[in-house]
Amino acid sequence: MAGGDGHDDGRREGHAGGRPGPWEEYGPLRRRFAEAAREERPDLALLCLLIGAEAQLSQPRGRTGGPGTGKTDATTAGTGKTEPRTTGTGKPGVRGTDSTGKPDEAGEPDATDEPGEAGRPDEAGTPTGAGESDGAAEAEIDRIVDEGQAELDRLAGMVPYERGRTPAQWARALERLLGDRLGFGGTASDYQRLESSLLPRVLRRRRGLPILLSVVWTEVARRAGAPVYGVALPGHFVVGFGDPPPAGAGRASLGGHVLADPFGGGRLLGEEELSALVAGATGGAPVTAASLQPAGPLETVLRVLNNIRAWAGRRPEQVGVRLWAVELSLLLPHHPGRLRFERAQLLVERGDFVRGAREMEEYADVIAAMEPNAAENMRRAARAARARLN
C-alpha cells in the first residue's frame, strides 16, 4: 500500500510544502491532541477523551443525544440513573456469552440502529466545532476532559483496598466492581454504534467496544495501583494483570499473569479460552508471547481511530466522521502514510476539490521515488478532481 502501513511519511509535523499541520488549521482541540500524543508518556485517557470531544464538537447544533445514536442520552434526565443494560442474554444487567470472536472493528455488520449525524457538516459545510470561537471550544473541551478524568478517578476510588493482591485477585476485584456491580460490558449491538468508540459515552452508558472498555479497565486499575496493561489481541482487545511474558518466548503460557475480557464484564480468560479467541480471529494461529505484549497508548489510540474510520466507512452519510478520524490519526507521531491519500479522497468526496487535488499531488511527490506507478495514479486522481470544478 502506498506509503507503507504503520509508519509516518517523514512529514509528521505538518503537510508537504511547509503548510501548517492540521492542529494549527482546526483550533484548540487538534493542537491539544497533537501535543498530548507527543508527551514522553502519553496519557491514554486524555487522548481518548479528546476523541470524544472531537465527536461532540463536530455534531450539528441543536442535537440532544449522543453522537452516532440519533437518540437521547442513556442517563434518565433529572434522576441520575441509567437505563438497564440489556446484554447478550436479553436480560437487563446480566452478562451474555457473546463476547468473543468479534473483530475489534466498530460497525462490523449492517447497522440496526439509526445512524447518527456526528460529524455531518452544518449548512455552511463546516463541522460545528470548527466555527466556534477558540474560547468556547476550549471551555467545552475542558469540561469533557475534566468530567471524564474525574469519573475514572471516582471509579478507582471504589476499588476496595487490599494489600498484596495477586494479579488474579486484581482482575477479580475489577470484575466485581466494573462488571458485576456497575454493569460495564458489551454486546453485539454495540458494534453498530459510534458512541461505543467514544470514552465519554462509554463511561456514561457503561457499554462499548472491547478496546474502549479495556481503556476503562486499565485506567481505573492503574489509578487503584494494579499492575495492568492493554493487550491488542487479533480482533479483540483485552487487559492483562501482572508481568507479561518475555517477548521472545515463542508459544505463550499465561504463567504469572492473567488476562481479563472487559467486553465480557471482566471475566478471566483461561488458556483454552484465550486460544479459542485468537484462533477465531486468525483462522487457527496459536497464541504467541508477542501477541500478549502490552499495547502502548499511541498504538491503542490509533486502533480506536481505525475502528471509527471502519464504522464511518460503511455509512456514506458519515463521511465527516471518517474525515475527522483520519485527521486525528495524522496527528499521531507514527501513522500509516496512506492516510494522507485517504484524507485527500474524503475532501474530494465532500466537494473540496481544490484542496483534495492539491493533497493528492503533494503525497504523490512524497512517494514518487519509491512507488512511481502509485504516484502517477494519484496524479491522475488529482486531475480528475480538478476537472470536476468545470
Side-chain angles (χ1 to χ4, degrees):
M1 190 83 61
D5 193 356
H7 304 282
D8 63 33
D9 53 23
R11 298 175 184 266
R12 69 180 73 167
E13 298 299 337
H15 289 175
R19 292 189 293 110
W23 56 95
E24 296 171 18
E25 295 177 2
Y26 288 92
L29 189 145
R30 303 294 174 89
R31 289 195 297 269
R32 190 164 176 180
F33 186 88
E35 291 164 0
R38 283 158 178 77
E39 292 288 342
E40 183 176 354
R41 294 184 177 181
D43 184 333
L44 175 59
L46 172 59
L47 288 164
C48 289
L49 289 168
L50 289 172
I51 292 172
E54 175 73 43
Q56 183 70 28
L57 293 175
S58 297
Q59 290 185 76
R61 294 176 179 85
R63 290 196 63 221
T64 58
T69 66
K71 302 177 181 179
T72 58
D73 198 292
T75 302
T76 305
T79 68
K81 299 179 181 179
T82 57
E83 296 173 356
R85 183 172 65 84
T86 303
T87 65
T89 64
K91 299 177 182 179
V94 180
R95 293 201 305 274
T97 57
D98 186 16
S99 60
T100 61
K102 286 283 185 183
D104 196 17
E105 291 283 333
E108 177 61 22
D110 290 338
T112 55
D113 293 318
E114 285 296 320
E117 300 175 344
R120 189 173 295 174
D122 59 21
E123 293 181 359
T126 303
T128 303
E132 297 177 359
S133 70
D134 277 5
E138 287 176 350
E140 181 65 5
I141 294 165
D142 286 342
R143 182 191 66 79
I144 293 170
V145 169
D146 291 347
E147 287 181 359
Q149 297 281 24
E151 178 63 5
L152 291 168
D153 290 341
R154 186 185 73 85
L155 294 173
M158 296 173 66
V159 179
Y161 175 74
E162 182 179 323
R163 294 186 62 182
R165 278 194 178 105
T166 65
Q169 288 171 334
W170 272 114
R172 291 191 182 97
L174 270 294
E175 179 185 17
R176 285 193 295 268
L177 172 65
L178 297 179
D180 296 337
R181 179 178 168 187
L182 299 179
F184 280 91
T187 65
S189 66
D190 292 310
Y191 285 85
Q192 318 304 324
R193 306 171 72 98
L194 172 61
E195 61 188 353
S196 297
S197 291
L198 306 175
L199 183 55
R201 301 292 300 169
V202 171
L203 287 170
R204 183 169 294 176
R205 297 177 63 241
R206 301 179 182 179
R207 294 178 59 170
L209 294 189
I211 190 168
L212 266 296
L213 290 165
S214 294
V215 170
V216 174
W217 248 254
T218 55
E219 289 297 312
V220 171
R222 180 182 62 79
R223 285 164 165 81
V228 65
Y229 52 93
V231 180
L233 292 177
H236 198 87
F237 212 96
V238 298
V239 297
F241 292 87
D243 295 324
R251 186 177 178 88
S253 171
L254 291 180
H257 74 288
V258 298
L259 296 180
D261 179 15
F263 193 72
R267 67 190 179 93
L268 272 64
L269 295 172
E271 293 194 16
E272 290 186 3
E273 293 172 301
L274 176 62
S275 296
L277 188 63
V278 173
T282 62
V287 181
T288 64
S291 66
L292 299 182
Q293 294 307 297
L298 298 185
E299 175 189 351
T300 302
V301 168
L302 182 59
R303 189 158 165 168
V304 170
L305 290 168
N306 286 345
N307 286 345
I308 294 172
R309 287 172 50 227
W311 179 89
R314 295 179 177 91
R315 297 163 173 81
E317 74 280 6
Q318 297 291 350
V319 63
V321 172
R322 187 177 170 195
L323 180 59
W324 65 247
V326 168
E327 291 179 335
L328 288 181
S329 300
L330 287 168
L331 297 181
L332 298 173
H334 301 280
H335 53 260
R338 70 176 187 274
L339 289 179
R340 292 185 60 191
F341 183 54
E342 183 175 337
R343 179 175 188 264
Q345 290 177 306
L346 292 171
L347 289 172
V348 171
E349 191 173 334
R350 286 168 63 93
D352 195 344
F353 303 121
V354 173
R355 270 208 307 165
R358 185 174 62 217
E359 295 204 8
M360 288 180 187
E361 291 163 347
E362 290 171 352
Y363 189 50
D365 291 341
V366 171
I367 68 168
M370 297 178 293
E371 302 180 62
N373 291 336
E376 181 54 34
N377 288 338
M378 288 183 194
R379 292 190 178 102
R380 280 199 292 269
R383 289 194 291 271
R386 291 184 188 280
R388 293 175 68 179
L389 290 168
N390 300 325

